[in-house]
Amino acid sequence: MVERNLTQEEVDALPFELNLSDGHAFRPWTRAESEIIGDSARFFRESDRRGGQEAEAEYIRRYLALGAQAYIPDHFTGLMSYSASMAVEIVANVLRLRGLSAALIEPCFDNIADILRRHRVPLQPIPETALTAGPAALERLLGTLTADVIFLVSPNNPTGTVVGEEAFTRIVDHCRTENKLLVLDGCFRVYLSLDEVYDHYGILAASGIDCVVIEDTGKVWPAAELKAPFLCVSPGLVREVKAMHSDFLLHLSPFTVRLITEFLGLAEADGGRHLRELVARNRTLFQSTVPGSFLRTDDTGKLGLAWLKVEMDGLDGEDVRKLLARRGVHVLSGERFYWRSPHLGRKHLRMALLRDPDVIQRAAEVIADLGAEVAGSRSRR
């Protein structure tokens, strides 16, 4: 029997109103966003694939600028994608064809490890704690990595852990001296404030290493699953990646690129502040409703997600997930995020915050009631 993965659990939760399982953006539109949706028929009529490449390049430039990233078209080749997962699939194909192994951050969303394993790419874990524990711990970690590729997610899903600039620069230096390839998933970078971000692309271009950076918008704007992900590829990998990419995609819909570019323009106007403030409000709403003695937030607060720790003895994340599902609230348990050592996620749950605040409030009340019910039943024993 094939074990169910996290995406399958997310699919099963789609019909439910209090679905906090997937990390995609399902929140109310602002008035300005509603006006964009109202103009979408015009965007559709005006779409012309003959100008698609120029529109894609401009979109990539502006999206990177929103996250304080340098746009370096003379070095990086941007390739549009249907999803970040498809970008990982393309990378995994290239690694397989090259016969390379990979060191992958742990925890991370399970489909990254699953895709790499499906292509028989040997995997070595990178404990994310070693990336933030200081220079000495990082040096010890790098000394243990025998894989050909270092695969990072920053900010990391599900914990929000960020690989800081000093650590990232050291990892890039290690890749240069040891002739390793670097893959970076930066899909949640937009939720970092400007004083927290630094220029991944500038550091990578200056180093000259082989690298791929994966970006996504599905976790940012509520566009009914229309999104404009892309991957940026360094010169040494372009030929192979483009050949693989062409097997999957002719071009992304120019309508989708136009729609997401319009949403992007709103975020540019306030530096992404609205995106971050909505998540912060929903996080506060949850924390003020659900007692920390039941579920405690155990993350950095830098994602549109919450990583929760079950604080009651005798209850695991999967126990709580099942109890909540029976009450109509759907979240993910933590074991599968730890692709090498599932027991490390046994006490955790992941919950989406990119939702209508009313949905968060109602779900939080159900969760709080469950916590009180469990606590009450124990006190009566």
Side-chain angles (χ1 to χ4, degrees), residues 329-340:
V329 175
H330 295 268
V331 297
L332 299 179
S333 55
E335 292 97 327
R336 285 195 60 86
F337 289 92
Y338 284 87
W339 55 268
R340 176 59 63 87

Side-chain angles (χ1 to χ4, degrees), residues 177-207:
T177 58
E178 298 298 325
N179 195 31
K180 295 180 185 290
L181 187 155
L182 180 67
V183 180
L184 173 65
D185 178 333
C187 292
F188 285 93
R189 187 193 301 106
V190 72
Y191 289 104
L192 298 177
S193 60
L194 292 181
D195 61 344
E196 295 173 305
V197 296
Y198 57 91
D199 185 9
H200 289 128
Y201 288 83
I203 293 170
L204 290 168
S207 74

Side-chain angles (χ1 to χ4, degrees), residues 69 91 149-155 163 168 172 181-187 189 198-201 204 211-215 230-232:
Q69 302 299 299
V91 170
V149 180
I150 294 179
F151 198 131
L152 303 176
V153 184
S154 181
V163 181
F168 184 74
V172 171
L181 187 155
L182 180 67
V183 180
L184 173 65
D185 178 333
C187 292
R189 187 193 301 106
Y198 57 91
D199 185 9
H200 289 128
Y201 288 83
L204 290 168
C211 59
V212 178
V213 186
I214 300 170
E215 309 282 356
F230 60 94
L231 57 165
C232 289

Side-chain angles (χ1 to χ4, degrees), residues 13 21 40 70 79 111 114 120 164 207 210 235 285 307 327 333 337 342:
S21 62
S40 60
L79 300 170
N111 75 334
D114 287 348
R120 303 188 186 281
S207 74
D210 287 338
L285 188 62
W307 184 237
R327 290 160 173 80
S333 55
F337 289 92

Side-chain angles (χ1 to χ4, degrees), residues 303-321:
L303 293 182
L305 303 163
W307 184 237
L308 307 171
K309 186 174 183 181
V310 180
E311 291 292 350
M312 288 190 175
D313 293 337
L315 275 183
D316 293 342
E318 179 63 9
D319 299 326
V320 176
R321 184 196 70 78

Side-chain angles (χ1 to χ4, degrees), residues 34-67:
S34 294
E35 291 173 357
I36 288 173
I37 298 302
D39 283 338
S40 60
R42 176 169 60 85
F43 302 156
F44 193 93
R45 288 191 297 269
E46 293 174 353
S47 294
D48 186 341
R49 69 179 186 172
R50 289 174 296 180
Q53 292 178 339
E54 292 80 4
E56 289 171 2
E58 177 65 8
Y59 155 72
I60 290 173
R61 181 191 67 78
R62 291 172 61 182
Y63 185 79
L64 291 180
L66 182 65

